[in-house]
Amino acid sequence: MLELGSFSEQYHQELGQWLVEQAGLSALITVGDEATLIDKAFKQSTVPHTHVGSSDDIGAGIEKLKLDLSNSLILLKGSRGYHLEAWLTTCKTTV
């Protein structure tokens, strides 16, 4: 969502609030500077959540939350600027 320009903060906050309201969400790992706004929405939630600085740290986020990704539905959403596609390799080796 780096491409959102002046709407970035608003849309990240709205996405965080929307995600909190979704039933069945097991965990949340946010990546990047603006994504801290999504993570903040989870401060009062019982859903396990963590924020990492870059896609290189996603594996550490998985370990921190002690997530078992087998049989999981994973939504990978983010800007290409954070190279999240590289995380797919981490995910495949973790599962």
Side-chain angles (χ1 to χ4, degrees), residues 24-29 62 65-76 87-88 91-92 94-95:
L25 185 64
S26 301
L28 175 74
I29 300 173
I62 292 169
L65 294 180
K66 299 181 180 8
L67 297 178
D68 176 6
L69 298 180
S70 57
N71 298 316
S72 295
L73 175 64
I74 299 169
L75 168 64
L76 181 61
W87 179 73
L88 290 174
C91 181
K92 288 177 183 176
T94 303
V95 174

Side-chain angles (χ1 to χ4, degrees), residues 5 22 27 29 32 34 40 54 65 70 79 93:
Q22 302 311 300
I29 300 173
E34 295 286 331
K40 284 181 183 179
S54 72
L65 294 180
S70 57
S79 296
T93 58

